[in-house]
Amino acid sequence: MCAVLVKASLTAGAVASLALGTALAANAGGYTPPVVDTDVTAPVVESAPVGDWAGAYAGLTLGYAFGGDDRVGFTEVDTGTYLGDAGKLELGGANAGLHVGYRWQRDRWVFGPELGFEAGNIKDTITFDNQLGGSTDVSSKIRNVLALRLKTGYALRPDLLLYGIAGIARADVEYKVAGTDGSGGSMSESRDFKSNGYIVGLGVERKLSNRMSVTGEYEYANFGKTTRTFEVDGGVSTQATPDYHNVKLGLNFKF
């Protein structure tokens, strides 16, 4: 019995020694820390959508002009004598237009040219007593405007665009003087003209669908100074200075 116990003890000791030797051999180069997987995949962050505004489009607008400021003052042609201030033409009225354009898009920035044609009833008339004992009417009317605009905008949302407007324009203007004298006589002279000018403004556009959107715009149009000469009273001249503010609602169709 004792011999069996001694033999078992020797066997256990041999196994323990073998295990200890293996562990020591494995760690002969020093302590080896456990391997930890540090390859962590970063989360994918998607950029916010900016909408698709690029491409060709066409549309129409309805507007109302107001606040024009065309001061009328007459000067004798022969002597250069200033005859006085006759009043101010405050041009205003309804108008409608058609336009076509093309836009490019870089991230949220949207820009491109637009060619437009507008016509309507933008006009005013002033009446004053003349030196002949009668009255004189001076009237001005914007028959139509052809404009090339550059619109540059920023997409606040995929369906909402805020933009600025700057452009050149050419107006066809009807300018007329008519009057009576104290003896019942009358006269009427038209001095129509075309004048170049500029347009600036702001606008906002909201998509209704992928191909249709509505617009709201404010513009200021100025067509400089043009001298008009009339034969009344031996020849008088005045400077026409048509300008006006315009608010417009529109509808765009993307091709």
Side-chain angles (χ1 to χ4, degrees), residues 53-55 57 101-114 149-155 161-164:
W53 295 92
Y57 66 94
Y102 192 91
R103 295 188 283 214
W104 293 271
Q105 184 168 354
R106 297 293 182 270
D107 191 28
R108 291 181 178 270
W109 290 100
V110 181
F111 53 92
E114 180 183 286
R149 300 172 175 88
L150 176 64
K151 294 186 174 182
T152 302
Y154 186 81
L161 180 68
L162 179 67
Y163 55 90

Side-chain angles (χ1 to χ4, degrees), residues 17-157:
S17 296
L18 180 60
L20 179 60
T22 301
L24 291 175
N27 291 286
Y31 172 73
T32 302
V35 177
V36 179
D37 185 6
T38 59
D39 186 11
V40 179
T41 302
V44 177
V45 180
E46 296 184 358
S47 59
V50 296
D52 181 15
W53 295 92
Y57 66 94
L60 52 87
T61 59
L62 293 175
Y64 189 83
F66 64 96
D69 186 2
D70 187 351
R71 181 66 61 178
V72 179
F74 287 103
T75 301
E76 285 186 345
V77 174
D78 293 338
T79 65
T81 302
Y82 182 63
L83 301 176
D85 189 342
K88 181 174 68 173
L89 291 163
E90 298 180 354
L91 300 180
N95 55 93
L98 300 172
H99 58 263
V100 294
Y102 192 91
R103 295 188 283 214
W104 293 271
Q105 184 168 354
R106 297 293 182 270
D107 191 28
R108 291 181 178 270
W109 290 100
V110 181
F111 53 92
E114 180 183 286
L115 181 65
F117 178 83
E118 296 171 357
N121 201 34
I122 304 174
K123 65 180 183 178
D124 192 26
T125 300
I126 59 173
T127 301
F128 58 92
D129 295 332
N130 59 40
Q131 298 177 344
L132 302 177
S135 63
T136 299
D137 297 334
V138 180
S139 63
S140 178
K141 178 181 178 180
I142 308 294
R143 287 174 171 162
N144 56 70
V145 175
L146 180 65
L148 178 62
R149 300 172 175 88
L150 176 64
K151 294 186 174 182
T152 302
Y154 186 81
L156 301 176
R157 299 198 314 248

Side-chain angles (χ1 to χ4, degrees), residues 173-196:
V173 184
E174 176 185 287
Y175 203 86
K176 182 185 296 185
V177 170
T180 61
D181 57 27
S183 62
S186 64
M187 56 78 63
S188 178
E189 294 183 45
S190 293
R191 294 294 183 267
D192 303 343
F193 63 95
K194 291 179 172 62
S195 181
N196 297 326

